[in-house]
Amino acid sequence: MATKQQTKRHKPKLHVRKGDTVMVIAGDDKGKTGEILEVFPDKMRAVVDGVNIVKKHMKATQDQEGGIMEMPAPVHVSNLMLLDPKSGDPTRAGRREEDGQWVRYSKKSGNTIK
């Protein structure tokens, strides 16, 4: 029997990308900002630097020392809001066509994002 995630035909289009600076708008880390390190579109989650820190118990191997490591865990993208690159304020992202290319823009200021 196929699971719900296996039956999807395409990846959803997210409002955030790797390298974006975002603010957490809900949850324990509300108000914190950080850069997106990794995005998982099929799970609708993103790993943000310095947000949602969890402790992971690591077994020692030849390559690494064992112990309790702290690392960021994924956060649902609905709890993240993009920051305007110029003003630093939280904003919604829109898409428009410029010179035949689709680009993201800040709905608050109208500036192009990346």
Side-chain angles (χ1 to χ4, degrees), residues 9-40:
R9 295 184 182 190
H10 64 281
K11 293 180 186 175
K13 194 75 165 176
L14 302 180
H15 66 284
V16 291
R17 291 184 189 160
K18 182 178 177 179
D20 285 346
T21 304
V22 293
M23 176 182 280
V24 180
I25 59 171
D28 292 340
D29 293 321
K30 181 177 180 176
K32 288 186 181 178
T33 60
E35 184 180 338
I36 294 186
L37 303 175
E38 198 172 359
V39 177
F40 305 106

mmCIF file of all heavy atoms in Angstrom, residues 9-40:
data_model
loop_
_atom_site.group_PDB
_atom_site.id
_atom_site.type_symbol
_atom_site.label_atom_id
_atom_site.label_comp_id
_atom_site.label_asym_id
_atom_site.label_seq_id
_atom_site.Cartn_x
_atom_site.Cartn_y
_atom_site.Cartn_z
ATOM 1 N N ARG A 9 2.401 13.755 -6.999
ATOM 2 C CA ARG A 9 2.952 13.774 -8.347
ATOM 3 C C ARG A 9 4.080 14.782 -8.515
ATOM 4 O O ARG A 9 4.906 14.634 -9.387
ATOM 5 C CB ARG A 9 1.857 14.093 -9.349
ATOM 6 C CG ARG A 9 0.822 13.009 -9.396
ATOM 7 C CD ARG A 9 -0.176 13.292 -10.450
ATOM 8 N NE ARG A 9 -1.174 12.243 -10.420
ATOM 9 C CZ ARG A 9 -2.083 12.096 -11.338
ATOM 10 N NH1 ARG A 9 -2.140 12.924 -12.341
ATOM 11 N NH2 ARG A 9 -2.945 11.127 -11.252
ATOM 12 N N HIS A 10 4.097 15.818 -7.710
ATOM 13 C CA HIS A 10 5.132 16.837 -7.842
ATOM 14 C C HIS A 10 5.450 17.429 -6.476
ATOM 15 O O HIS A 10 4.688 17.303 -5.532
ATOM 16 C CB HIS A 10 4.688 17.943 -8.788
ATOM 17 C CG HIS A 10 3.494 18.708 -8.292
ATOM 18 N ND1 HIS A 10 2.208 18.225 -8.403
ATOM 19 C CD2 HIS A 10 3.395 19.899 -7.663
ATOM 20 C CE1 HIS A 10 1.372 19.094 -7.855
ATOM 21 N NE2 HIS A 10 2.069 20.120 -7.399
ATOM 22 N N LYS A 11 6.580 18.111 -6.415
ATOM 23 C CA LYS A 11 6.969 18.777 -5.183
ATOM 24 C C LYS A 11 6.225 20.105 -5.085
ATOM 25 O O LYS A 11 6.092 20.811 -6.083
ATOM 26 C CB LYS A 11 8.479 19.046 -5.175
ATOM 27 C CG LYS A 11 9.320 17.807 -5.101
ATOM 28 C CD LYS A 11 10.777 18.187 -5.106
ATOM 29 C CE LYS A 11 11.639 16.950 -5.171
ATOM 30 N NZ LYS A 11 13.045 17.288 -5.307
ATOM 31 N N PRO A 12 5.771 20.476 -3.893
ATOM 32 C CA PRO A 12 5.094 21.763 -3.765
ATOM 33 C C PRO A 12 6.074 22.925 -3.907
ATOM 34 O O PRO A 12 7.249 22.786 -3.603
ATOM 35 C CB PRO A 12 4.504 21.723 -2.356
ATOM 36 C CG PRO A 12 5.319 20.716 -1.634
ATOM 37 C CD PRO A 12 5.810 19.737 -2.653
ATOM 38 N N LYS A 13 5.576 24.062 -4.376
ATOM 39 C CA LYS A 13 6.395 25.258 -4.512
ATOM 40 C C LYS A 13 6.374 25.993 -3.175
ATOM 41 O O LYS A 13 5.320 26.370 -2.687
ATOM 42 C CB LYS A 13 5.814 26.142 -5.614
ATOM 43 C CG LYS A 13 6.732 27.231 -6.078
ATOM 44 C CD LYS A 13 7.818 26.691 -6.930
ATOM 45 C CE LYS A 13 8.510 27.797 -7.680
ATOM 46 N NZ LYS A 13 9.623 27.307 -8.435
ATOM 47 N N LEU A 14 7.553 26.167 -2.577
ATOM 48 C CA LEU A 14 7.638 26.808 -1.278
ATOM 49 C C LEU A 14 8.000 28.284 -1.407
ATOM 50 O O LEU A 14 8.592 28.701 -2.405
ATOM 51 C CB LEU A 14 8.695 26.101 -0.408
ATOM 52 C CG LEU A 14 8.474 24.620 -0.166
ATOM 53 C CD1 LEU A 14 9.585 24.058 0.701
ATOM 54 C CD2 LEU A 14 7.135 24.366 0.481
ATOM 55 N N HIS A 15 7.673 29.061 -0.382
ATOM 56 C CA HIS A 15 7.974 30.494 -0.391
ATOM 57 C C HIS A 15 9.380 30.791 0.118
ATOM 58 O O HIS A 15 9.805 31.931 0.099
ATOM 59 C CB HIS A 15 6.944 31.261 0.432
ATOM 60 C CG HIS A 15 6.969 30.960 1.891
ATOM 61 N ND1 HIS A 15 6.434 29.798 2.411
ATOM 62 C CD2 HIS A 15 7.459 31.643 2.937
ATOM 63 C CE1 HIS A 15 6.594 29.801 3.718
ATOM 64 N NE2 HIS A 15 7.231 30.907 4.069
ATOM 65 N N VAL A 16 10.104 29.753 0.578
ATOM 66 C CA VAL A 16 11.470 29.934 1.082
ATOM 67 C C VAL A 16 12.417 29.005 0.337
ATOM 68 O O VAL A 16 12.017 27.973 -0.183
ATOM 69 C CB VAL A 16 11.557 29.668 2.599
ATOM 70 C CG1 VAL A 16 10.827 30.739 3.377
ATOM 71 C CG2 VAL A 16 11.040 28.302 2.956
ATOM 72 N N ARG A 17 13.689 29.398 0.297
ATOM 73 C CA ARG A 17 14.734 28.611 -0.360
ATOM 74 C C ARG A 17 15.946 28.540 0.547
ATOM 75 O O ARG A 17 16.081 29.322 1.486
ATOM 76 C CB ARG A 17 15.189 29.279 -1.652
ATOM 77 C CG ARG A 17 14.208 29.283 -2.753
ATOM 78 C CD ARG A 17 14.857 29.898 -3.978
ATOM 79 N NE ARG A 17 13.868 30.124 -5.008
ATOM 80 C CZ ARG A 17 14.019 30.948 -6.007
ATOM 81 N NH1 ARG A 17 15.140 31.647 -6.125
ATOM 82 N NH2 ARG A 17 13.091 31.084 -6.908
ATOM 83 N N LYS A 18 16.868 27.647 0.204
ATOM 84 C CA LYS A 18 18.125 27.543 0.921
ATOM 85 C C LYS A 18 18.870 28.870 0.784
ATOM 86 O O LYS A 18 18.951 29.442 -0.301
ATOM 87 C CB LYS A 18 18.948 26.399 0.325
ATOM 88 C CG LYS A 18 20.268 26.166 1.012
ATOM 89 C CD LYS A 18 20.981 24.990 0.381
ATOM 90 C CE LYS A 18 22.335 24.778 1.008
ATOM 91 N NZ LYS A 18 23.036 23.633 0.419
ATOM 92 N N GLY A 19 19.397 29.359 1.899
ATOM 93 C CA GLY A 19 20.132 30.617 1.891
ATOM 94 C C GLY A 19 19.298 31.829 2.270
ATOM 95 O O GLY A 19 19.847 32.897 2.544
ATOM 96 N N ASP A 20 17.968 31.705 2.304
ATOM 97 C CA ASP A 20 17.107 32.818 2.702
ATOM 98 C C ASP A 20 17.241 33.091 4.195
ATOM 99 O O ASP A 20 17.472 32.184 4.985
ATOM 100 C CB ASP A 20 15.633 32.501 2.410
ATOM 101 C CG ASP A 20 15.279 32.597 0.943
ATOM 102 O OD1 ASP A 20 16.080 33.155 0.177
ATOM 103 O OD2 ASP A 20 14.202 32.110 0.569
ATOM 104 N N THR A 21 17.049 34.332 4.576
ATOM 105 C CA THR A 21 16.983 34.692 5.988
ATOM 106 C C THR A 21 15.513 34.764 6.360
ATOM 107 O O THR A 21 14.736 35.455 5.697
ATOM 108 C CB THR A 21 17.662 36.046 6.244
ATOM 109 O OG1 THR A 21 19.008 35.982 5.758
ATOM 110 C CG2 THR A 21 17.696 36.355 7.723
ATOM 111 N N VAL A 22 15.150 34.025 7.407
ATOM 112 C CA VAL A 22 13.743 33.929 7.795
ATOM 113 C C VAL A 22 13.573 34.225 9.280
ATOM 114 O O VAL A 22 14.528 34.193 10.052
ATOM 115 C CB VAL A 22 13.166 32.531 7.485
ATOM 116 C CG1 VAL A 22 13.094 32.282 6.005
ATOM 117 C CG2 VAL A 22 13.945 31.443 8.189
ATOM 118 N N MET A 23 12.330 34.512 9.656
ATOM 119 C CA MET A 23 11.961 34.706 11.058
ATOM 120 C C MET A 23 10.929 33.643 11.411
ATOM 121 O O MET A 23 10.047 33.336 10.608
ATOM 122 C CB MET A 23 11.363 36.094 11.267
ATOM 123 C CG MET A 23 10.871 36.341 12.681
ATOM 124 S SD MET A 23 10.114 37.949 12.892
ATOM 125 C CE MET A 23 11.572 38.945 13.066
ATOM 126 N N VAL A 24 11.047 33.091 12.624
ATOM 127 C CA VAL A 24 10.071 32.118 13.107
ATOM 128 C C VAL A 24 8.894 32.898 13.668
ATOM 129 O O VAL A 24 9.060 33.793 14.493
ATOM 130 C CB VAL A 24 10.691 31.212 14.193
ATOM 131 C CG1 VAL A 24 9.685 30.208 14.693
ATOM 132 C CG2 VAL A 24 11.918 30.501 13.647
ATOM 133 N N ILE A 25 7.666 32.579 13.195
ATOM 134 C CA ILE A 25 6.486 33.332 13.604
ATOM 135 C C ILE A 25 5.592 32.557 14.561
ATOM 136 O O ILE A 25 4.597 33.092 15.047
ATOM 137 C CB ILE A 25 5.675 33.801 12.377
ATOM 138 C CG1 ILE A 25 5.218 32.621 11.530
ATOM 139 C CG2 ILE A 25 6.463 34.785 11.558
ATOM 140 C CD1 ILE A 25 4.237 32.987 10.436
ATOM 141 N N ALA A 26 5.927 31.289 14.858
ATOM 142 C CA ALA A 26 5.118 30.500 15.781
ATOM 143 C C ALA A 26 5.982 29.436 16.434
ATOM 144 O O ALA A 26 6.970 28.994 15.874
ATOM 145 C CB ALA A 26 3.960 29.846 15.037
ATOM 146 N N GLY A 27 5.598 29.047 17.645
ATOM 147 C CA GLY A 27 6.297 27.972 18.337
ATOM 148 C C GLY A 27 7.225 28.481 19.423
ATOM 149 O O GLY A 27 7.227 29.675 19.768
ATOM 150 N N ASP A 28 8.022 27.567 19.969
ATOM 151 C CA ASP A 28 8.923 27.896 21.076
ATOM 152 C C ASP A 28 9.981 28.923 20.686
ATOM 153 O O ASP A 28 10.445 29.697 21.522
ATOM 154 C CB ASP A 28 9.629 26.640 21.588
ATOM 155 C CG ASP A 28 8.670 25.686 22.270
ATOM 156 O OD1 ASP A 28 7.584 26.140 22.682
ATOM 157 O OD2 ASP A 28 9.007 24.496 22.389
ATOM 158 N N ASP A 29 10.404 28.924 19.434
ATOM 159 C CA ASP A 29 11.464 29.826 18.968
ATOM 160 C C ASP A 29 10.915 31.062 18.273
ATOM 161 O O ASP A 29 11.610 31.705 17.471
ATOM 162 C CB ASP A 29 12.410 29.076 18.030
ATOM 163 C CG ASP A 29 13.190 27.995 18.746
ATOM 164 O OD1 ASP A 29 13.596 28.242 19.894
ATOM 165 O OD2 ASP A 29 13.383 26.914 18.177
ATOM 166 N N LYS A 30 9.672 31.438 18.591
ATOM 167 C CA LYS A 30 9.031 32.583 17.949
ATOM 168 C C LYS A 30 9.882 33.844 18.112
ATOM 169 O O LYS A 30 10.367 34.138 19.201
ATOM 170 C CB LYS A 30 7.659 32.814 18.568
ATOM 171 C CG LYS A 30 6.888 33.959 17.967
ATOM 172 C CD LYS A 30 5.519 34.068 18.582
ATOM 173 C CE LYS A 30 4.758 35.215 17.969
ATOM 174 N NZ LYS A 30 3.397 35.278 18.482
ATOM 175 N N GLY A 31 10.098 34.569 17.002
ATOM 176 C CA GLY A 31 10.869 35.806 17.025
ATOM 177 C C GLY A 31 12.326 35.629 16.634
ATOM 178 O O GLY A 31 12.993 36.596 16.312
ATOM 179 N N LYS A 32 12.829 34.388 16.650
ATOM 180 C CA LYS A 32 14.230 34.158 16.278
ATOM 181 C C LYS A 32 14.383 34.235 14.762
ATOM 182 O O LYS A 32 13.465 33.926 14.014
ATOM 183 C CB LYS A 32 14.701 32.775 16.746
ATOM 184 C CG LYS A 32 14.896 32.671 18.239
ATOM 185 C CD LYS A 32 15.504 31.338 18.591
ATOM 186 C CE LYS A 32 15.704 31.190 20.082
ATOM 187 N NZ LYS A 32 16.260 29.873 20.424
ATOM 188 N N THR A 33 15.571 34.658 14.325
ATOM 189 C CA THR A 33 15.867 34.714 12.900
ATOM 190 C C THR A 33 17.083 33.845 12.614
ATOM 191 O O THR A 33 17.890 33.576 13.495
ATOM 192 C CB THR A 33 16.156 36.158 12.441
ATOM 193 O OG1 THR A 33 17.281 36.646 13.154
ATOM 194 C CG2 THR A 33 14.965 37.054 12.669
ATOM 195 N N GLY A 34 17.200 33.419 11.365
ATOM 196 C CA GLY A 34 18.340 32.608 10.962
ATOM 197 C C GLY A 34 18.299 32.328 9.478
ATOM 198 O O GLY A 34 17.326 32.649 8.784
ATOM 199 N N GLU A 35 19.365 31.723 9.000
ATOM 200 C CA GLU A 35 19.485 31.384 7.581
ATOM 201 C C GLU A 35 19.050 29.941 7.367
ATOM 202 O O GLU A 35 19.346 29.070 8.188
ATOM 203 C CB GLU A 35 20.929 31.556 7.130
ATOM 204 C CG GLU A 35 21.127 31.322 5.655
ATOM 205 C CD GLU A 35 22.576 31.507 5.225
ATOM 206 O OE1 GLU A 35 23.316 32.201 5.934
ATOM 207 O OE2 GLU A 35 22.934 30.939 4.187
ATOM 208 N N ILE A 36 18.371 29.689 6.265
ATOM 209 C CA ILE A 36 17.928 28.334 5.952
ATOM 210 C C ILE A 36 19.119 27.534 5.454
ATOM 211 O O ILE A 36 19.807 27.929 4.502
ATOM 212 C CB ILE A 36 16.803 28.347 4.912
ATOM 213 C CG1 ILE A 36 15.569 28.999 5.514
ATOM 214 C CG2 ILE A 36 16.493 26.930 4.437
ATOM 215 C CD1 ILE A 36 14.350 28.960 4.659
ATOM 216 N N LEU A 37 19.377 26.397 6.113
ATOM 217 C CA LEU A 37 20.489 25.527 5.750
ATOM 218 C C LEU A 37 20.071 24.445 4.769
ATOM 219 O O LEU A 37 20.853 24.032 3.917
ATOM 220 C CB LEU A 37 21.066 24.871 7.008
ATOM 221 C CG LEU A 37 21.539 25.816 8.108
ATOM 222 C CD1 LEU A 37 21.958 25.029 9.333
ATOM 223 C CD2 LEU A 37 22.682 26.666 7.610
ATOM 224 N N GLU A 38 18.831 23.960 4.907
ATOM 225 C CA GLU A 38 18.362 22.853 4.083
ATOM 226 C C GLU A 38 16.839 22.920 3.995
ATOM 227 O O GLU A 38 16.176 23.330 4.942
ATOM 228 C CB GLU A 38 18.784 21.538 4.747
ATOM 229 C CG GLU A 38 18.751 20.340 3.856
ATOM 230 C CD GLU A 38 19.373 19.108 4.508
ATOM 231 O OE1 GLU A 38 19.848 19.204 5.654
ATOM 232 O OE2 GLU A 38 19.347 18.067 3.857
ATOM 233 N N VAL A 39 16.280 22.516 2.840
ATOM 234 C CA VAL A 39 14.832 22.530 2.640
ATOM 235 C C VAL A 39 14.387 21.137 2.199
ATOM 236 O O VAL A 39 15.045 20.496 1.375
ATOM 237 C CB VAL A 39 14.437 23.580 1.575
ATOM 238 C CG1 VAL A 39 12.947 23.553 1.322
ATOM 239 C CG2 VAL A 39 14.871 24.960 2.003
ATOM 240 N N PHE A 40 13.272 20.673 2.764
ATOM 241 C CA PHE A 40 12.677 19.388 2.397
ATOM 242 C C PHE A 40 11.274 19.658 1.846
ATOM 243 O O PHE A 40 10.293 19.647 2.585
ATOM 244 C CB PHE A 40 12.589 18.461 3.617
ATOM 245 C CG PHE A 40 13.905 18.258 4.313
ATOM 246 C CD1 PHE A 40 14.172 18.874 5.528
ATOM 247 C CD2 PHE A 40 14.883 17.455 3.752
ATOM 248 C CE1 PHE A 40 15.382 18.683 6.176
ATOM 249 C CE2 PHE A 40 16.098 17.259 4.378
ATOM 250 C CZ PHE A 40 16.343 17.876 5.601
#
